[in-house]
Amino acid sequence: MGLSVGIVGLPNVGKSTLFNALSSAKAEAANYPFCTIEPNVGVVAVPDARLASLDAVVHSERIVPATIDFVDIAGLVRGAHKGEGLGNQFLAHIREVDAVVQVARAFDDPNVVHVENRVDPVADIETVTTELCLKDLDTVTKRGERARKMIKSGSAIEKLATEICDGLAAHLDAGKPARTFAVPANADAAAIVREMHLLTAKPTLYIANVDERSLGHLGANAHFQALAKFAAAEGAPVVPICAALEAQIAELDPADRPEFLASAGLTEPGLHAVVRTAYTLLGLITFFTAGKPEVRAWTTTKGAKAPQAAGVIHTDFEKGFIKAEVIWWEDFIKLGGEAKAREAGKLAIEGKDYVVRDGDVMHFRFNV
């Protein structure tokens, strides 16, 4: 679906190290600000154990997971909304992503410099959020001014836009992101806010970059606890990881990873939680196709109907949609494939109004 998540934060909080681990790419990770200037893009597989289970039934030629694009964006500093540092580039790049991962440093290490000479993850998040709010405030103010000029024509939409912009401007001026603003419950109000493409309206999750010894003892990490409390107040998810450890895991041969994870007290890489949380944050679900050529995970939005899901595979599938043959993934595995699921009455024939579930194994019939 081409969805992307931007990794943002102050310089030297672990963004590029995290990105390298996520994508196994080699974005330069150096101990000085602005080592990432152009955004690096990594296509990251969404971990899903169901793929291997489905493949064990059909013995396909290849397995294709769902993916999300992660974008490593240059570090932001105070004054970015006015162009300080690499502000203009940062803001342009963040505008293009669908969701935001804010990384904050939650460990003490005198050998790693901090751009503001202190370790305070909540303050780091607030610095970034303030800069984004100030940029959004400029956008909202201009929209409000335009609405006030056009309200003379008697437009009800522009009158509503004036009211929304006034409320939203006060909200942003208080350092609160647009995603926490109570938009009036009507389609026109939602459209007015959506059309401004506000940076702080994007779904956001927080990552606490902790040291390795904190992974099993998060209660003892005051930095993480402060960030967790901050995120909870906003209703945002927060994921603790040790970016340096994740980078080491990514460098290992897959066969060697389980032993290394066990030695670190982990059952899976922390990055799996990051990817799954981002996937959920974007409101995405997975459906599958399973046959001899491939077992494949496909991404669609929660609430999507069968023709929309078909269109993810090919636009012709949606245009000429006739029906969908649907098997719940657990039934597919337990019964041993499509033919036996059909015999057992576990294959359903669904039409255009069928709402796809996360985990459906689907086969589409179409005619164009």
Side-chain angles (χ1 to χ4, degrees), residues 19 36 52 155 165 181 188 232 248 265 272 302 335 353:
F19 174 83
T36 305
S155 168
C165 288
F181 178 69
D188 289 336
Q248 293 177 50
H272 285 192
K302 188 176 182 180
L335 296 169
D353 292 329

Side-chain angles (χ1 to χ4, degrees), residues 7 15-16 19-20 26-28 34-42 70-75 86 88-90 92-94 96:
I7 304 173
K15 299 184 311 301
S16 293
F19 174 83
N20 288 344
K26 294 295 179 287
E28 183 184 4
F34 310 131
C35 65
T36 305
I37 298 175
E38 293 303 318
N40 299 274
V41 181
F70 277 83
V71 184
D72 181 26
I73 299 174
L86 297 170
N88 292 329
Q89 293 181 47
F90 176 97
H93 294 146
I94 196 173
E96 295 170 0

Side-chain angles (χ1 to χ4, degrees), residues 11-80:
N12 296 343
V13 294
K15 299 184 311 301
S16 293
T17 303
L18 171 68
F19 174 83
N20 288 344
L22 272 167
S23 64
S24 297
K26 294 295 179 287
E28 183 184 4
N31 187 22
Y32 57 90
F34 310 131
C35 65
T36 305
I37 298 175
E38 293 303 318
N40 299 274
V41 181
V43 180
V44 181
V46 178
D48 196 326
R50 295 173 296 186
L51 282 166
S53 298
L54 291 169
D55 183 61
V57 174
V58 299
H59 306 293
S60 64
E61 295 175 9
R62 64 174 185 159
I63 298 175
V64 183
T67 62
I68 298 180
D69 289 353
F70 277 83
V71 184
D72 181 26
I73 299 174
L76 173 146
V77 293
R78 291 186 189 277

